[in-house]
């Protein structure tokens, strides 16, 4: 009998449980069929992909170089959700994942992840003997060639054989079609985006950060970054090619459970990696193994953990369900557990007095020292959005009801905090200008003891009469008055700001178009740090010089967030103006990462060319404008029920303001 190589995942761990589930019984006698994915990437001979074969840091596949490499993942979850993969024939793009039995069996398993609830802690996700499992190892074994021939059945969560006919409705999902015929620029952009796709085991799992063939020193730009992949994911979803997004979500979910250590200290279990890279490790006898190697910040500049990775992962998970109509992915027990682990990190009790999330410098898109440590707006907007996504996706049962209650309470407190204390316009600046300081009382007006002298000179003449924005950061005796584009745009998208505030933000962008858009949209922040401020705050960072990179550089990838915000507010003409501006330059400049100078005239001095999220941001913007109905699935309207939640108990005290009362009054204005 002819024997073919295949892969089996072996779990090296201190106990017999993974994700809190008992180890599966052997089902080696069962055939493992193929289930087609929700949609396919259009693989053709013209599309050049980076093919990477098995391993996610522990997935090790021994492949004989003398044989034609081929691999297709199959599943054998049983009750443990630990899956294995095998190689048969030429099966590029084939994939199989356990699909929950039409949203019923998964919910029955949700209690398998035990919870411990008490009066002092809203919820604790309890996994027997902890979740610090060691890496999964894929080793070469010989299997009978008959395995995998039965294509008519799949394995459900109970290990039972279920006819594929029952799941056809889940797999054949209608996807939106792009309205207008693609231009030459769009066709070029799609070709470049597909060339940047990374495949694992024959299935696409992400896109490289940059794919410049002339770049001989890519550094970490040859990795798949979670935040960088988001615009690519939206582009593929809007194109109807959802398979790559599904694989990305599942593979990064598995990386979440890896042991992470920096100088003998390990961060929380729910931390998502900043990026991952497929590495090839040679073996003996003309064989090699592929390693999916994640970076949780231990290799990053400054060794900063990526706080935004988990938040973006949750946001993308919701978008996947909204666009494809496939909600079985978010209902899986392992996915539900992943959401809860991320939320546990974010909702843990600490010393902070504020509902905003406390982070270090460099923990988001601005991943270098730029004076954003504390409570940066970008993180708060993503946090608020991730909380709203989680509230939609979490399976509500006895084990999760306390977490849902904590989410509601945090949403109410966070929205009030940002709307009340981060917002500035001409009226608010004048109020700060007249602040009294050193107030000691519960009804103080200047709660954070902000000194009027902090108001920068540039702001007085820059702020328009009709317009305003959310400041970049707020801490005791400190307000960062810089305009941070991503935080303000995502506050509009997620309805973190009030409808009136959201409209005022777009009014400001329109009024200050030359400053924020210039020759290339959009400024990552405004204004740049210069002179002594630059030396003190950035540490004289040679990459973040004034009007370059994170320090006032222009980033084309922000186009898609701007487009989504404009469409939510009923102002697509602003987005079209920005997209048209970018379309004139990006192809000729070879799709740079960012632009320099006050007006964005020069390609960034250290900008990578063929930057993937610049390409994807442009494509996503174009498709959002062509598909307003689909765009409406990706933003959030004001949640009036949330405004009814009073978490501060101020109405029964002698204090002046309650979050519910203030928020409702802002909405009604």
């Amino acid at each position: 009998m002819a024997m073919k190589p295949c892969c089996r995942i072996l779990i090296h761990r201190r106990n017999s449980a993974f994700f809190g589930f008992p180890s599966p019984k052997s089902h080696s006698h069962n055939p493992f069929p193929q289930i087609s994915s929700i949609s396919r990437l259009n693989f053709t001979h013209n599309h050049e992909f980076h093919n990477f074969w098995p391993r996610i840091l522990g997935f090790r596949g021994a492949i004989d170089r003398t044989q034609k490499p081929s691999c297709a993942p199959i599943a054998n979850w049983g009750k443990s959700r630990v899956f294995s993969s095998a190689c048969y024939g030429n099966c590029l793009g084939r994939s199989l994942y356990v699909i929950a039995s039409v949203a019923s069996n998964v919910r029955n398993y949700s209690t398998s992840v035990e919870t411990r609830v008490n009066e002092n802690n809203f919820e604790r996700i309890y996994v027997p003997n902890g979740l610090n499992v060691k890496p999964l190892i894929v080793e070469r074994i010989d299997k009978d060639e008959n395995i995998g021939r039965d294509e008519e059945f799949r394995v459900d969560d109970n290990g039972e054989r279920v006819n594929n006919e029952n799941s056809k409705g889940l797999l054949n999902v209608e996807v939106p079609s792009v309205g207008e015929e693609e231009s030459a620029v769009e066709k070029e952009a799609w070709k470049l985006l597909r060339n940047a796709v990374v495949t694992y085991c024959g299935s696409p799992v992400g896109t490289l950060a940059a794919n410049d063939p002339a770049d001989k020193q890519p550094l970490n730009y040859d990795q798949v970054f979670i935040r960088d992949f988001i615009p690519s994911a939206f582009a593929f979803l809007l194109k109807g090619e959802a398979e790559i997004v599904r694989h990305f979500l599942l593979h990064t979910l598995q990386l979440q459970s890896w042991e992470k250590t920096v100088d003998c200290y390990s961060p929380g279990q729910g931390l998502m990696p900043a990026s991952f890279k497929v590495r090839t490790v040679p073996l003996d006898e003309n064989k090699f193994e592929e390693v999916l190697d994640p970076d949780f910040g231990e290799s990053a500049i400054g060794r900063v953990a990526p706080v935004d990775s988990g938040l973006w992962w949750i946001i993308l998970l919701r978008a996947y369900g909204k666009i494809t109509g496939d909600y079985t992915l978010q209902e899986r027990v392992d996915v539900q557990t992943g959401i809860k682990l991320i939320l546990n990190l974010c909702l843990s009790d600490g010393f902070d007095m504020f509902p905003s999330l406390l982070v270090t410098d460099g923990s988001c898109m601005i991943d270098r020292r730029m004076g954003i440590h504390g409570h940066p707006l970008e993180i708060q907007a993503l946090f608020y959005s991730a909380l709203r996504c989680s509230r939609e996706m979490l399976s509500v049962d006895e084990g999760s009801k306390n977490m849902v209650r904590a989410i509601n309470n945090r949403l109410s407190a966070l929205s009030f905090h940002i709307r009340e204390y981060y917002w500035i316009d001409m009226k608010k600046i004048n109020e700060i200008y007249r602040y009294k300081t050193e107030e000691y009382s519960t009804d103080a007006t200047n709660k954070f003891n902000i000194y009027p002298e902090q108001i920068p000179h540039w702001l007085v003449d820059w702020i328009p009469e009709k317009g305003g924005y959310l400041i970049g950061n707020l801490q005791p005796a400190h307000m960062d008055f810089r305009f941070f584009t991503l935080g303000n745009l995502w506050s509009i998208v997620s309805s973190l700001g009030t409808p009136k505030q959201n409209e005022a933000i777009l009014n400001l962008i329109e009024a200050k178009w030359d400053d924020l858009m210039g020759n290339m949209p959009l400024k990552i922040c405004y204004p740049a740090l210069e002179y002594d401020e630059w030396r003190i705050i950035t540490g004289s960072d040679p990459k973040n010089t004034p009007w370059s990179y994170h320090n006032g550089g222009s980033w084309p990838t922000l186009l898609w967030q701007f487009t989504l915000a404009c469409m939510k507010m009923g102002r697509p003409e602003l987005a079209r103006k920005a997209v048209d501006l970018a379309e004139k330059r990006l192809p000729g400049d070879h799709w740079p990462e960012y632009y320099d100078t006050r007006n964005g005239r020069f390609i960034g001095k250290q900008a990578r060319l063929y930057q993937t999220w610049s390409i994807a941001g442009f494509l996503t913007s174009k498709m959002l404008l062509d598909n307003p109905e689909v765009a409406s699935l990706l933003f959030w309207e004001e949640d009036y029920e949330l405004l009814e939640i009073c978490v501060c108990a101020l109405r029964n005290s002698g204090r002046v303001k309650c979050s519910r009362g203030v928020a409702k009054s802002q909405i009604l204005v």
Side-chain angles (χ1 to χ4, degrees), residues 146 241 302 425 462 535 604:
N146 293 322
E241 301 172 4
D425 52 16
W462 190 75
R535 282 188 285 271

Side-chain angles (χ1 to χ4, degrees), residues 57-73:
L57 186 63
F59 292 11
R60 186 177 64 196
I63 298 177
D64 193 336
R65 289 186 184 273
T66 62
Q67 296 183 356
K68 183 178 182 180
S70 57
C71 183

Side-chain angles (χ1 to χ4, degrees), residues 193 228 231-232 235 556-561 563 579 586 591 611-624:
L193 181 59
D228 290 38
S232 297
T557 186
L558 294 172
L559 270 174
W560 75 272
Q561 288 104 328
T563 300
V579 171
L586 284 175
W591 307 92
Q611 184 79 11
T612 304
W613 68 351
S614 295
I615 299 167
F618 167 77
L619 288 173
T620 300
S621 297
K622 297 284 284 189
M623 287 188 288
L624 287 172

Side-chain angles (χ1 to χ4, degrees), residues 48 50 192 195-197 208-213 221 609-612:
E48 178 183 345
H50 300 266
L192 293 171
N195 285 344
V197 169
L208 301 175
N211 191 29
D212 183 2
Y221 283 82
L609 302 182
Y610 300 103
Q611 184 79 11
T612 304

Side-chain angles (χ1 to χ4, degrees), residues 62-127:
I63 298 177
D64 193 336
R65 289 186 184 273
T66 62
Q67 296 183 356
K68 183 178 182 180
S70 57
C71 183
I74 66 174
N76 181 12
W77 288 83
K79 293 184 179 180
S80 74
R81 303 270 175 176
V82 180
F83 68 89
S84 59
S85 60
C87 306
Y88 307 108
N90 186 6
C91 46
L92 183 64
R94 293 178 57 191
S95 61
L96 169 67
Y97 288 101
V98 173
I99 295 183
S101 299
V102 197
S104 59
N105 287 345
V106 165
R107 296 188 184 277
N108 294 334
Y109 278 103
S110 60
T111 55
S112 297
V113 181
E114 299 181 33
T115 56
R116 297 291 183 266
V117 182
N118 55 49
E119 295 299 321
N120 297 322
N121 191 7
F122 65 89
E123 179 170 15
R124 183 184 302 277
I125 296 177
Y126 176 76
V127 179

